[in-house]
Short mmCIF file of all heavy atoms in Angstrom, two decimals:
data_model
loop_
_atom_site.label_atom_id
_atom_site.label_comp_id
_atom_site.label_asym_id
_atom_site.label_seq_id
_atom_site.Cartn_x
_atom_site.Cartn_y
_atom_site.Cartn_z
N GLU A 1 -15.95 -10.97 -6.34
CA GLU A 1 -15.21 -10.79 -7.59
C GLU A 1 -15.44 -11.96 -8.54
O GLU A 1 -15.70 -11.76 -9.73
CB GLU A 1 -13.70 -10.66 -7.29
CG GLU A 1 -12.81 -10.63 -8.51
CD GLU A 1 -12.82 -9.32 -9.27
OE1 GLU A 1 -13.29 -8.30 -8.74
OE2 GLU A 1 -12.34 -9.32 -10.41
N LYS A 2 -15.35 -13.17 -8.02
CA LYS A 2 -15.41 -14.37 -8.86
C LYS A 2 -16.80 -14.99 -8.96
O LYS A 2 -17.07 -15.75 -9.88
CB LYS A 2 -14.45 -15.44 -8.31
CG LYS A 2 -13.01 -15.02 -8.29
CD LYS A 2 -12.49 -14.87 -9.69
CE LYS A 2 -11.01 -14.54 -9.70
NZ LYS A 2 -10.52 -14.30 -11.04
N GLY A 3 -17.68 -14.71 -7.97
CA GLY A 3 -18.98 -15.36 -7.93
C GLY A 3 -18.88 -16.69 -7.22
O GLY A 3 -17.78 -17.14 -6.88
N SER A 4 -20.00 -17.33 -7.00
CA SER A 4 -20.02 -18.61 -6.31
C SER A 4 -21.17 -19.46 -6.83
O SER A 4 -22.34 -19.11 -6.64
CB SER A 4 -20.18 -18.40 -4.79
OG SER A 4 -20.43 -19.63 -4.14
N ASP A 5 -20.83 -20.56 -7.49
CA ASP A 5 -21.86 -21.48 -7.97
C ASP A 5 -22.60 -22.12 -6.80
O ASP A 5 -23.81 -22.31 -6.85
CB ASP A 5 -21.24 -22.58 -8.84
CG ASP A 5 -20.72 -22.04 -10.16
OD1 ASP A 5 -21.20 -20.97 -10.60
OD2 ASP A 5 -19.82 -22.68 -10.75
N VAL A 6 -21.88 -22.43 -5.74
CA VAL A 6 -22.47 -23.08 -4.57
C VAL A 6 -23.56 -22.20 -3.95
O VAL A 6 -24.64 -22.68 -3.61
CB VAL A 6 -21.39 -23.39 -3.51
CG1 VAL A 6 -22.01 -23.92 -2.22
CG2 VAL A 6 -20.37 -24.38 -4.07
N ASN A 7 -23.30 -20.92 -3.84
CA ASN A 7 -24.25 -20.00 -3.21
C ASN A 7 -25.09 -19.23 -4.22
O ASN A 7 -25.79 -18.30 -3.86
CB ASN A 7 -23.50 -19.01 -2.30
CG ASN A 7 -22.84 -19.73 -1.15
OD1 ASN A 7 -23.46 -20.55 -0.49
ND2 ASN A 7 -21.57 -19.44 -0.93
N HIS A 8 -24.98 -19.59 -5.48
CA HIS A 8 -25.75 -18.94 -6.56
C HIS A 8 -25.51 -17.43 -6.59
O HIS A 8 -26.45 -16.65 -6.75
CB HIS A 8 -27.24 -19.26 -6.43
CG HIS A 8 -27.52 -20.73 -6.41
ND1 HIS A 8 -27.48 -21.49 -7.54
CD2 HIS A 8 -27.81 -21.56 -5.39
CE1 HIS A 8 -27.75 -22.75 -7.21
NE2 HIS A 8 -27.95 -22.83 -5.92
N LEU A 9 -24.24 -17.03 -6.42
CA LEU A 9 -23.88 -15.62 -6.48
C LEU A 9 -23.21 -15.33 -7.82
O LEU A 9 -22.26 -16.01 -8.20
CB LEU A 9 -22.91 -15.25 -5.36
CG LEU A 9 -23.44 -15.31 -3.94
CD1 LEU A 9 -22.31 -15.07 -2.96
CD2 LEU A 9 -24.55 -14.30 -3.74
N LYS A 10 -23.71 -14.34 -8.52
CA LYS A 10 -23.10 -13.93 -9.78
C LYS A 10 -21.83 -13.14 -9.49
O LYS A 10 -21.74 -12.43 -8.49
CB LYS A 10 -24.08 -13.10 -10.59
CG LYS A 10 -25.27 -13.91 -11.03
CD LYS A 10 -26.25 -13.08 -11.79
CE LYS A 10 -27.39 -14.01 -12.20
NZ LYS A 10 -28.59 -13.33 -12.49
N ALA A 11 -20.88 -13.26 -10.40
CA ALA A 11 -19.63 -12.52 -10.26
C ALA A 11 -19.89 -11.03 -10.37
O ALA A 11 -20.66 -10.57 -11.20
CB ALA A 11 -18.63 -12.96 -11.32
N ARG A 12 -19.25 -10.28 -9.51
CA ARG A 12 -19.27 -8.82 -9.53
C ARG A 12 -17.79 -8.39 -9.61
O ARG A 12 -17.18 -8.08 -8.60
CB ARG A 12 -19.90 -8.23 -8.28
CG ARG A 12 -21.26 -8.79 -7.91
CD ARG A 12 -22.34 -8.22 -8.81
NE ARG A 12 -23.66 -8.35 -8.20
CZ ARG A 12 -24.64 -9.08 -8.72
NH1 ARG A 12 -24.45 -9.77 -9.80
NH2 ARG A 12 -25.82 -9.12 -8.13
N PRO A 13 -17.18 -8.43 -10.79
CA PRO A 13 -15.74 -8.24 -10.93
C PRO A 13 -15.26 -6.81 -10.69
O PRO A 13 -14.82 -6.11 -11.59
CB PRO A 13 -15.47 -8.70 -12.37
CG PRO A 13 -16.75 -8.46 -13.07
CD PRO A 13 -17.84 -8.68 -12.07
N TRP A 14 -15.32 -6.38 -9.45
CA TRP A 14 -14.96 -5.02 -9.10
C TRP A 14 -13.45 -4.77 -9.21
O TRP A 14 -13.03 -3.69 -9.61
CB TRP A 14 -15.49 -4.67 -7.70
CG TRP A 14 -15.03 -5.58 -6.61
CD1 TRP A 14 -15.54 -6.81 -6.29
CD2 TRP A 14 -13.97 -5.35 -5.70
NE1 TRP A 14 -14.85 -7.34 -5.23
CE2 TRP A 14 -13.88 -6.46 -4.84
CE3 TRP A 14 -13.08 -4.30 -5.52
CZ2 TRP A 14 -12.95 -6.57 -3.83
CZ3 TRP A 14 -12.15 -4.40 -4.50
CH2 TRP A 14 -12.10 -5.52 -3.66
N MET A 15 -12.63 -5.77 -8.89
CA MET A 15 -11.17 -5.59 -9.03
C MET A 15 -10.77 -5.55 -10.51
O MET A 15 -9.96 -4.72 -10.91
CB MET A 15 -10.42 -6.70 -8.30
CG MET A 15 -10.56 -6.61 -6.79
SD MET A 15 -9.58 -7.86 -5.92
CE MET A 15 -10.70 -9.26 -5.95
N GLN A 16 -11.35 -6.43 -11.30
CA GLN A 16 -11.04 -6.47 -12.73
C GLN A 16 -11.48 -5.18 -13.41
O GLN A 16 -10.74 -4.62 -14.23
CB GLN A 16 -11.73 -7.67 -13.38
CG GLN A 16 -11.45 -7.79 -14.86
CD GLN A 16 -12.21 -8.95 -15.48
OE1 GLN A 16 -13.16 -9.47 -14.94
NE2 GLN A 16 -11.77 -9.35 -16.67
N GLN A 17 -12.67 -4.69 -13.08
CA GLN A 17 -13.13 -3.43 -13.67
C GLN A 17 -12.21 -2.27 -13.29
O GLN A 17 -11.94 -1.39 -14.11
CB GLN A 17 -14.57 -3.12 -13.24
CG GLN A 17 -15.60 -3.89 -14.01
CD GLN A 17 -17.00 -3.35 -13.78
OE1 GLN A 17 -17.23 -2.14 -13.83
NE2 GLN A 17 -17.94 -4.25 -13.54
N THR A 18 -11.74 -2.27 -12.05
CA THR A 18 -10.82 -1.22 -11.61
C THR A 18 -9.56 -1.25 -12.47
O THR A 18 -9.11 -0.21 -12.96
CB THR A 18 -10.45 -1.39 -10.13
OG1 THR A 18 -11.63 -1.36 -9.33
CG2 THR A 18 -9.50 -0.29 -9.68
N ARG A 19 -9.00 -2.43 -12.65
CA ARG A 19 -7.77 -2.55 -13.44
C ARG A 19 -7.99 -2.10 -14.88
O ARG A 19 -7.23 -1.28 -15.41
CB ARG A 19 -7.27 -3.99 -13.43
CG ARG A 19 -5.96 -4.18 -14.19
CD ARG A 19 -5.55 -5.63 -14.30
NE ARG A 19 -6.58 -6.51 -14.83
CZ ARG A 19 -6.91 -6.62 -16.11
NH1 ARG A 19 -6.30 -5.88 -17.01
NH2 ARG A 19 -7.85 -7.46 -16.51
N ILE A 20 -9.05 -2.59 -15.50
CA ILE A 20 -9.32 -2.26 -16.91
C ILE A 20 -9.57 -0.76 -17.09
O ILE A 20 -9.02 -0.13 -18.00
CB ILE A 20 -10.50 -3.08 -17.44
CG1 ILE A 20 -10.10 -4.55 -17.55
CG2 ILE A 20 -11.00 -2.54 -18.77
CD1 ILE A 20 -11.26 -5.51 -17.78
N ARG A 21 -10.36 -0.18 -16.21
CA ARG A 21 -10.71 1.24 -16.35
C ARG A 21 -9.56 2.18 -16.03
O ARG A 21 -9.59 3.35 -16.42
CB ARG A 21 -11.88 1.60 -15.42
CG ARG A 21 -13.20 1.07 -15.89
CD ARG A 21 -14.27 1.46 -14.91
NE ARG A 21 -15.57 1.10 -15.42
CZ ARG A 21 -16.66 1.80 -15.22
NH1 ARG A 21 -16.62 2.91 -14.51
NH2 ARG A 21 -17.80 1.41 -15.72
N ASN A 22 -8.55 1.70 -15.30
CA ASN A 22 -7.51 2.60 -14.82
C ASN A 22 -6.11 2.29 -15.33
O ASN A 22 -5.15 2.89 -14.86
CB ASN A 22 -7.53 2.60 -13.29
CG ASN A 22 -8.76 3.27 -12.75
OD1 ASN A 22 -8.83 4.49 -12.68
ND2 ASN A 22 -9.77 2.49 -12.41
N GLU A 23 -5.98 1.40 -16.30
CA GLU A 23 -4.65 1.06 -16.82
C GLU A 23 -3.91 2.29 -17.35
O GLU A 23 -2.76 2.53 -17.00
CB GLU A 23 -4.76 0.01 -17.92
CG GLU A 23 -4.91 -1.39 -17.39
CD GLU A 23 -5.06 -2.45 -18.48
OE1 GLU A 23 -5.68 -2.16 -19.51
OE2 GLU A 23 -4.53 -3.55 -18.27
N LYS A 24 -4.57 3.09 -18.17
CA LYS A 24 -3.92 4.28 -18.74
C LYS A 24 -3.59 5.31 -17.66
O LYS A 24 -2.53 5.92 -17.67
CB LYS A 24 -4.80 4.91 -19.81
CG LYS A 24 -4.72 4.23 -21.15
CD LYS A 24 -5.46 5.01 -22.21
CE LYS A 24 -5.31 4.33 -23.56
NZ LYS A 24 -6.06 5.02 -24.60
N LYS A 25 -4.52 5.49 -16.74
CA LYS A 25 -4.30 6.46 -15.66
C LYS A 25 -3.09 6.07 -14.83
O LYS A 25 -2.24 6.91 -14.52
CB LYS A 25 -5.55 6.54 -14.77
CG LYS A 25 -5.40 7.47 -13.60
CD LYS A 25 -6.64 7.46 -12.72
CE LYS A 25 -6.45 8.34 -11.50
NZ LYS A 25 -7.59 8.28 -10.60
N VAL A 26 -2.98 4.79 -14.48
CA VAL A 26 -1.85 4.31 -13.68
C VAL A 26 -0.54 4.45 -14.46
O VAL A 26 0.48 4.88 -13.92
CB VAL A 26 -2.08 2.86 -13.21
CG1 VAL A 26 -0.82 2.26 -12.60
CG2 VAL A 26 -3.23 2.79 -12.22
N LEU A 27 -0.59 4.13 -15.74
CA LEU A 27 0.60 4.27 -16.58
C LEU A 27 1.05 5.74 -16.65
O LEU A 27 2.23 6.05 -16.48
CB LEU A 27 0.33 3.74 -17.99
CG LEU A 27 1.50 3.81 -18.97
CD1 LEU A 27 2.68 2.99 -18.48
CD2 LEU A 27 1.05 3.34 -20.34
N ASN A 28 0.10 6.65 -16.86
CA ASN A 28 0.43 8.07 -16.93
C ASN A 28 0.95 8.60 -15.60
O ASN A 28 1.90 9.38 -15.58
CB ASN A 28 -0.78 8.88 -17.39
CG ASN A 28 -1.10 8.63 -18.85
OD1 ASN A 28 -0.26 8.23 -19.64
ND2 ASN A 28 -2.36 8.86 -19.23
N LEU A 29 0.33 8.18 -14.50
CA LEU A 29 0.83 8.59 -13.18
C LEU A 29 2.23 8.05 -12.94
O LEU A 29 3.09 8.75 -12.40
CB LEU A 29 -0.11 8.12 -12.06
CG LEU A 29 -1.37 8.93 -11.85
CD1 LEU A 29 -2.26 8.27 -10.80
CD2 LEU A 29 -1.04 10.36 -11.44
N SER A 30 2.46 6.79 -13.33
CA SER A 30 3.79 6.19 -13.16
C SER A 30 4.84 6.99 -13.91
O SER A 30 5.93 7.26 -13.39
CB SER A 30 3.78 4.74 -13.65
OG SER A 30 2.90 3.96 -12.89
N LYS A 31 4.54 7.37 -15.14
CA LYS A 31 5.47 8.18 -15.94
C LYS A 31 5.72 9.53 -15.27
O LYS A 31 6.85 10.00 -15.20
CB LYS A 31 4.92 8.38 -17.35
CG LYS A 31 4.98 7.15 -18.21
CD LYS A 31 4.34 7.43 -19.57
CE LYS A 31 4.32 6.20 -20.46
NZ LYS A 31 3.66 6.47 -21.75
N LYS A 32 4.64 10.15 -14.79
CA LYS A 32 4.75 11.46 -14.14
C LYS A 32 5.64 11.37 -12.89
O LYS A 32 6.52 12.21 -12.68
CB LYS A 32 3.35 11.95 -13.76
CG LYS A 32 3.31 13.23 -12.97
CD LYS A 32 1.88 13.58 -12.60
CE LYS A 32 1.84 14.76 -11.65
NZ LYS A 32 0.48 15.07 -11.21
N TYR A 33 5.40 10.33 -12.07
CA TYR A 33 6.17 10.19 -10.83
C TYR A 33 7.61 9.79 -11.12
O TYR A 33 8.53 10.23 -10.42
CB TYR A 33 5.49 9.21 -9.88
CG TYR A 33 4.13 9.68 -9.41
CD1 TYR A 33 3.14 8.77 -9.06
CD2 TYR A 33 3.81 11.03 -9.31
CE1 TYR A 33 1.88 9.19 -8.63
CE2 TYR A 33 2.57 11.46 -8.88
CZ TYR A 33 1.61 10.54 -8.54
OH TYR A 33 0.38 10.96 -8.11
N LEU A 34 7.84 8.98 -12.15
CA LEU A 34 9.21 8.61 -12.52
C LEU A 34 9.98 9.85 -12.96
O LEU A 34 11.14 10.03 -12.61
CB LEU A 34 9.19 7.56 -13.63
CG LEU A 34 10.55 7.06 -14.09
CD1 LEU A 34 11.32 6.45 -12.93
CD2 LEU A 34 10.38 6.05 -15.22
N LYS A 35 9.30 10.71 -13.70
CA LYS A 35 9.93 11.97 -14.13
C LYS A 35 10.26 12.84 -12.90
O LYS A 35 11.33 13.44 -12.83
CB LYS A 35 9.00 12.72 -15.08
CG LYS A 35 9.61 13.94 -15.69
CD LYS A 35 8.70 14.56 -16.72
CE LYS A 35 9.35 15.78 -17.36
NZ LYS A 35 8.50 16.39 -18.37
N ALA A 36 9.34 12.88 -11.94
CA ALA A 36 9.58 13.67 -10.72
C ALA A 36 10.76 13.10 -9.92
O ALA A 36 11.56 13.86 -9.38
CB ALA A 36 8.32 13.70 -9.86
N ILE A 37 10.87 11.77 -9.88
CA ILE A 37 12.02 11.15 -9.19
C ILE A 37 13.30 11.51 -9.95
O ILE A 37 14.30 11.90 -9.33
CB ILE A 37 11.85 9.61 -9.11
CG1 ILE A 37 10.69 9.24 -8.19
CG2 ILE A 37 13.14 8.96 -8.60
CD1 ILE A 37 10.29 7.76 -8.25
N SER A 38 13.25 11.42 -11.26
CA SER A 38 14.42 11.73 -12.09
C SER A 38 14.84 13.20 -11.97
O SER A 38 16.02 13.53 -12.09
CB SER A 38 14.14 11.42 -13.57
OG SER A 38 13.88 10.06 -13.74
N ASN A 39 13.87 14.08 -11.75
CA ASN A 39 14.17 15.51 -11.57
C ASN A 39 14.62 15.83 -10.15
O ASN A 39 15.00 16.96 -9.87
CB ASN A 39 12.93 16.35 -11.89
CG ASN A 39 12.60 16.32 -13.36
OD1 ASN A 39 13.44 16.07 -14.19
ND2 ASN A 39 11.33 16.59 -13.67
#
């Protein structure tokens, strides 16, 4: 995720990309499930 200068590894931000790409989806699911709990 972060990379490593010591080992010359470039960052591969897989967790960050997941968060960025799925923020709206998680928000919409949260609203849907909150409504289901409320019902």
